[in-house]
């Protein structure tokens, strides 16, 4: 394949930058770990690859880095087909989970390492190192060793080392997984700031943490069982997921088995009728109704469901109620209640029609052929 790359399967094009997976598959023996991935990361975009362990997300990132060779398909960086290029010729920066800093080198030497490997002019290296450390707020720590830094500071140094080579593409592989919750929150804010200050850099961010993906990404590619299941903006995937897996993995969801009734805009659940948007779904077909817990209210209202209170969890600003309705457990996240019902009490939950999404039963990934 030569010349200007054609549009990818998700309808976007890579122009002068960014990343494109063109039907990329990776296999180890008979085990396919990435299956026909079609996906484009636009120039300057942050794309999160979100999924559980073994979903194929890290394999996709390693294919971009050049650490694994696709069994089929091509990897493009901008208008360059890099499928056969070694990692050091791809012009990318990469940060891995454990930062991989050299313990015997000072911070400034760790950051300079990639520049020296790329044979950058010796006179230019100090300024490039200072620039990268300033960008991540670590200029004052240039002469320290990694052992003298906190986990969050080490992570900043690893990012500075990746940015010092001025990459067009930055790969982040679970970069916050080794940090505690407070540091993770702070580093998310720092990564968001870096994205604003480096609008030309395309970022591919691998994570299993939905909060990281929702907070940082312009778009999220949801991976499972080696395949791309869904792709869209955080708001699209959260408010209008296209598959049951997306609904359950991006945020939290009540997934109720329903049958579309003959009457337009009506479904049957546990022997009762609910008014929800059914679109073009035919009467009699089975489907799954998705309702987010924070959109479920307590008390009478539209689409009321009554059942026994099975569990109550206090979560600081909210209470989560679990209610058994005809063998189905429904979650409701409510602003902190002054008086919570007793376990076993009959309680009524409700939700608005516009807050429900009807998913086809067994809906599969966006790149299913």
């Amino acid at each position: 394949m030569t010349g200007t790359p054609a549009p990818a399967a998700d309808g976007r094009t890579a122009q002068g930058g960014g990343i494109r997976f063109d039907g990329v598959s990776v296999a180890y023996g008979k085990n396919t770990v990435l299956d026909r991935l079609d996906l484009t990361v636009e120039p300057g975009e942050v794309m999160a690859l979100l999924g559980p362990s073994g979903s194929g997300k890290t394999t996709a990132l390693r294919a971009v880095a050049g650490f694994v060779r696709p069994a089929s398909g091509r990897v493009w960086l901008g208008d360059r087909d890099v499928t056969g290029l070694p990692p050091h010729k791809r012009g990318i920066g990469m940060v891995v989970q454990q930062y991989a800093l050299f313990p015997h080198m000072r911070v400034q030497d760790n950051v300079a390492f990639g520049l020296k490997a790329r044979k950058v002019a010796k006179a230019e290296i100090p300024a490039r190192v200072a620039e990268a450390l300033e960008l991540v707020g670590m200029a004052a720590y240039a002469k320290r060793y990694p052992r003298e830094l906190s986990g969050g500071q080490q992570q900043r140094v690893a990012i500075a080392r990746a940015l010092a080579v001025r990459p067009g593409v930055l790969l982040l592989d679970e970069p916050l997984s080794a940090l505690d919750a407070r540091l993770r929150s702070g580093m998310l804010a720092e990564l968001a700031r870096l994205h604003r200050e480096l609008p030309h850099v395309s970022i591919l961010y691998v994570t299993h943490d939905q909060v990281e993906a929702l907070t940082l990404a312009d778009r999220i590619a949801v991976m499972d069982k080696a395949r791309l299941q869904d792709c869209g903006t955080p708001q699209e995937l959260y408010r209008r997921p296209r598959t049951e897996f997306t609904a359950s993995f991006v945020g939290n969801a009540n997934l109720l088995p329903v049958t579309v009734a003959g009457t337009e805009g009506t479904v049957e659940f546990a022997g009762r009728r609910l008014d929800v948007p059914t679109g073009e779904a035919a009467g009699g077909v089975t489907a799954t109704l998705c309702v987010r817990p924070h959109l479920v209210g307590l008390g009478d209202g539209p689409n009321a469901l009554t059942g026994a209170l099975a569990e109550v969890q206090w979560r600081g600003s909210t209470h989560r109620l679990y209610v058994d309705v005809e063998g189905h457990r429904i979650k409701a996240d409510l602003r902190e209640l002054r008086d919570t019902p007793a376990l076993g009490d009959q309680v009524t939950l409700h939700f608005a029609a516009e807050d429900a999404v009807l998913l086809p039963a067994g809906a599969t990934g966006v790149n299913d052929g």
Side-chain angles (χ1 to χ4, degrees):
M1 186 172 184
T2 59
T4 303
D10 62 354
R12 296 177 173 238
T13 57
Q15 304 175 37
I19 307 164
R20 184 161 68 89
F21 297 89
D22 184 8
V24 174
S25 294
V26 176
Y28 300 126
K30 294 183 179 180
N31 183 30
T32 298
V33 293
L34 187 64
D35 190 8
R36 293 171 291 164
L37 177 61
D38 289 304
L39 183 70
T40 295
V41 183
E42 295 286 0
E45 181 179 36
V46 178
M47 174 74 78
L49 294 182
L50 177 67
S53 297
S55 61
K57 59 188 188 296
T58 294
T59 300
L61 180 140
R62 288 172 62 83
V64 177
F67 298 146
V68 297
R69 180 70 182 264
S72 61
R74 316 302 294 174
V75 177
W76 294 78
L77 295 180
D79 57 0
R80 293 190 303 148
D81 181 351
V82 299
T83 310
L85 287 181
H88 67 277
K89 291 188 176 181
R90 299 193 179 200
I92 60 174
M94 186 170 180
V95 179
V96 297
Q97 296 179 38
Q98 300 302 325
Y99 321 140
L101 300 178
F102 298 109
H104 63 287
M105 291 184 180
R106 297 182 188 274
V107 163
Q108 60 190 12
D109 298 319
N110 266 282
V111 176
F113 183 83
L115 297 171
K116 294 176 180 177
R118 286 167 170 78
K119 302 188 185 306
V120 173
K122 188 174 181 179
E124 186 180 343
I125 290 177
R128 295 271 290 270
V129 169
E131 176 187 55
L133 287 174
E134 184 69 32
L135 194 60
V136 300
M138 290 295 291
Y141 299 83
K143 296 187 181 301
R144 294 195 185 184
Y145 289 97
R147 65 178 178 272
E148 299 174 305
L149 305 176
S150 68
Q153 290 170 335
Q154 290 182 41
Q155 199 247 24
R156 291 171 187 242
V157 175
I159 293 173
R161 182 173 61 186
L163 294 177
V165 300
R166 295 177 180 169
V169 169
L170 180 62
L171 307 179
L172 301 173
D173 185 9
E174 300 275 10
L176 308 184
S177 62
L179 304 180
D180 62 34
R182 183 181 61 83
L183 283 175
R184 190 179 301 121
S185 176
M187 284 309 307
L188 273 175
E190 286 298 308
L191 288 172
R193 179 187 62 79
L194 280 173
H195 180 220
R196 292 192 298 270
E197 294 186 12
L198 300 168
H200 62 286
V201 177
S202 300
I203 299 177
L204 189 61
Y205 188 102
V206 167
T207 182
H208 66 277
D209 188 305
Q210 57 177 283
V211 173
E212 291 179 20
L214 291 169
T215 301
L216 189 63
D218 297 310
R219 286 190 300 148
I220 301 172
V222 182
M223 305 286 295
D224 188 43
K225 297 177 181 177
R227 309 198 78 182
L228 178 64
Q229 299 295 323
D230 212 339
C231 186
T233 68
Q235 293 82 3
E236 289 169 345
L237 297 186
Y238 190 83
R239 295 172 181 165
R240 290 290 181 267
R242 287 187 290 230
T243 70
E244 291 183 26
F245 182 81
T246 300
S248 62
F249 204 83
V250 180
N252 212 293
N254 292 298
L255 298 175
L256 312 179
V258 299
T259 301
V260 179
T263 306
E264 183 177 351
T266 305
V267 299
E268 293 184 358
F269 166 72
R272 63 203 74 192
R273 293 210 163 191
L274 303 174
D275 296 321
V276 300
T278 55
E280 299 179 358
V285 303
T286 58
T288 300
L289 193 67
C290 170
V291 186
R292 299 293 185 185
H294 74 280
L295 297 175
V296 178
L298 180 64
D300 290 327
N303 294 321
L305 297 169
T306 300
L309 182 62
E311 185 179 352
V312 178
Q313 295 178 353
W314 179 65
R315 300 190 171 195
S317 61
T318 63
H319 278 93
R320 171 166 288 184
L321 272 56
Y322 293 84
V323 179
D324 285 337
V325 178
E326 300 295 334
H328 301 279
R329 183 161 289 197
I330 298 176
K331 302 182 287 283
D333 288 341
L334 307 168
R335 292 186 63 180
E336 187 175 11
L337 300 173
R338 294 187 181 276
D339 298 304
T340 58
L343 297 183
D345 281 358
Q346 292 290 302
V347 298
T348 299
L349 305 175
H350 68 271
F351 61 90
E354 60 268 24
D355 291 333
V357 180
L358 192 68
L359 305 174
T364 54
V366 298
N367 65 340
D368 281 359

